[in-house]
């Protein structure tokens, strides 16, 4: 692989599974035993903000557990970024902070982050290192109960989409790692690249075939901690 080319890497919940974080919906359609419509929509938050706050508070707390650490896949992507000479971007659908912990810098959290919040009234942004509750008062506008976790829920627009499509347009290599390619618009990136005039190297890493596997030139099957490390070691000899 030519390290002077432009590379775009998309990651999903599967890359964090071996670090001890549950994926979204592999077989049962649930996220950590919760129905998506109960925890991933604005309606759910308006209906029962305490329930939704607690769901994300628990996930944020879990990230502080010393057993939850970046695995070899996160670490090798940070190594690859350091070594890469062309444009490099890592776009994650994950709301955990394991890529940052591994040392990734050119990183876009298209679905937001567990450790950020904002006020729906005045849009003030907040770093979250505490449990959010309906009694929390916005420091800027002083309104109570309007601060929510800054993750993108169903029906909301993912972040950085214009920038992401600029990167997609100029990329020569696309790696999709640990994503079911079910959640749009990220699931549509491969369709977008497949319809481009220019030839893009398309590689998928997953433990099993996904419903988009046929659109990739290569599907590398196996746990990301092993397959991604092997892939990176071939490029960066260390
Ligand atoms: P998904 O749960 O729909 O799919 C996970 C994929 O990872 C599956 O295709 C599965 O086969 C694969 N996988 C599981 N273990 C793997 C491993 N060890 N190595 C390689 N692949 C593995 O996840 P998605 O496609 O990212 O769906 C996205 C939604 O889930 C996002 O909106 C995201 O915000 C949310 N989410 C994020 C986290 C997190 O931040 N870690 C966790 C759960 C859900």
């Amino acid at each position: 692989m030519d390290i002077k080319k432009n590379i775009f890497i998309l990651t999903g919940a599967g890359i964090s599974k071996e670090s001890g974080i549950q994926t979204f919906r592999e077989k049962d359609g649930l996220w950590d035993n919760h129905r998506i419509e109960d925890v991933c929509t604005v309606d759910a938050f308006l209906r029962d903000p305490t329930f939704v706050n607690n769901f994300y508070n628990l996930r944020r707390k879990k990230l502080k557990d010393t057993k939850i650490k970046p695995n070899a896949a996160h670490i090798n992507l940070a190594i690859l970024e350091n070594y890469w000479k062309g444009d490099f971007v890592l776009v994650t659908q994950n709301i955990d902070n394991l890529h940052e912990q591994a040392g990734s810098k050119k990183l876009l959290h298209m679905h937001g982050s567990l450790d950020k919040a904002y006020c729906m009234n005045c849009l003030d942004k907040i770093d979250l290192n505490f449990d959010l509750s309906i009694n929390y008062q916005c420091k800027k506008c002083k309104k109570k109960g309007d601060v929510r976790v800054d993750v993108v829920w169903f029906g909301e627009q993912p972040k950085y989409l214009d920038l992401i499509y600029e990167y997609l347009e100029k990329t020569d290599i696309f790696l999709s790692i640990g994503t079911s390619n079910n959640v749009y618009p990220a699931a549509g990136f491969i369709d977008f690249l497949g319809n481009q005039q220019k030839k893009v190297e398309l590689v998928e890493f997953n433990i099993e075939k996904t419903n988009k596997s046929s659109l990739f030139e290569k599907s590398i099957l196996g746990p990301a901690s092993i397959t991604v490390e092997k892939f990176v070691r071939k490029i960066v000899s260390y």
Side-chain angles (χ1 to χ4, degrees):
M1 197 157 268
D2 183 352
I3 61 164
K4 289 196 260 355
K5 286 187 170 179
N6 298 336
I7 190 165
F8 184 116
I9 303 173
L10 174 68
T11 62
I15 196 169
S16 296
K17 180 136 187 216
E18 292 164 79
S19 295
I21 299 180
Q22 274 303 314
T23 55
F24 197 30
R25 45 171 178 201
E26 278 176 52
K27 300 266 181 314
D28 53 9
L30 299 175
W31 183 359
D32 260 2
N33 297 320
H34 289 74
R35 291 188 321 153
I36 282 140
E37 49 276 42
D38 292 337
V39 290
C40 297
T41 65
V42 179
D43 282 352
F45 183 70
L46 297 177
R47 204 169 47 238
D48 194 344
T50 299
F51 184 78
V52 174
N53 278 334
N54 287 343
F55 177 79
Y56 292 97
N57 287 341
L58 267 177
R59 258 129 220 96
R60 187 177 321 104
K61 245 184 215 145
K62 201 167 177 195
L63 287 182
K64 295 205 174 119
D65 182 334
T66 48
K67 289 200 279 301
I68 307 284
K69 290 194 289 267
N71 64 56
H74 299 101
I75 293 166
N76 275 277
L77 292 184
I79 292 173
L80 190 66
E81 175 182 335
N82 266 331
Y83 190 77
W84 204 260
K85 299 283 178 248
D87 277 353
F88 181 105
V89 70
L90 172 55
V91 175
T92 188
Q93 297 168 85
N94 294 345
I95 57 175
D96 66 51
N97 58 9
L98 295 177
H99 281 305
E100 289 88 330
Q101 284 192 43
S104 288
K105 298 275 183 298
K106 293 175 188 161
L107 171 68
L108 298 174
H109 274 277
M110 66 178 289
H111 290 167
S113 306
L114 277 170
D115 53 11
K116 302 266 182 288
Y118 70 93
C119 174
M120 295 187 295
N121 186 48
C122 71
L123 303 181
D124 195 37
K125 290 185 179 6
I126 295 139
D127 283 333
L128 261 190
N129 47 16
F130 54 88
D131 282 353
L132 205 51
S133 89
I134 47 168
N135 296 320
Y136 181 80
Q137 185 179 36
C138 174
K139 299 257 180 314
K140 192 169 172 203
C141 70
K142 309 292 178 212
K143 206 154 174 251
K144 261 190 186 173
D146 266 16
V147 174
R148 57 163 276 190
V149 65
D150 195 0
V151 303
V152 175
W153 287 327
F154 281 94
E156 296 182 316
Q157 172 92 328
K159 297 170 185 287
Y160 315 113
L161 273 187
D162 288 347
L163 183 59
I164 286 173
Y165 275 94
E166 273 175 35
Y167 277 115
L168 280 172
E169 266 169 19
K170 61 183 181 183
T171 200
D172 305 301
I173 304 161
F174 176 69
L175 311 181
S176 163
I177 305 172
T179 170
S180 58
N181 275 318
N182 274 330
V183 180
Y184 281 85
F189 295 168
I190 179 67
D191 305 295
F192 176 83
L193 292 169
N195 290 330
Q196 296 268 80
Q197 291 296 326
K198 92 173 192 212
K199 168 106 182 76
V200 181
E201 284 178 65
L202 306 166
V203 186
E204 180 181 51
F205 297 77
N206 203 300
I207 44 167
E208 58 186 20
K209 294 250 174 178
T210 67
N211 58 7
K212 297 272 177 156
S213 291
S214 61
L215 302 175
F216 287 86
E217 268 170 51
K218 213 181 197 184
S219 284
I220 302 180
L221 298 185
S225 66
I226 293 174
T227 54
V228 173
E229 172 164 348
K230 199 167 162 201
F231 181 86
V232 171
R233 275 181 180 270
K234 262 196 196 159
I235 301 168
V236 183
S237 346
Y238 72 94

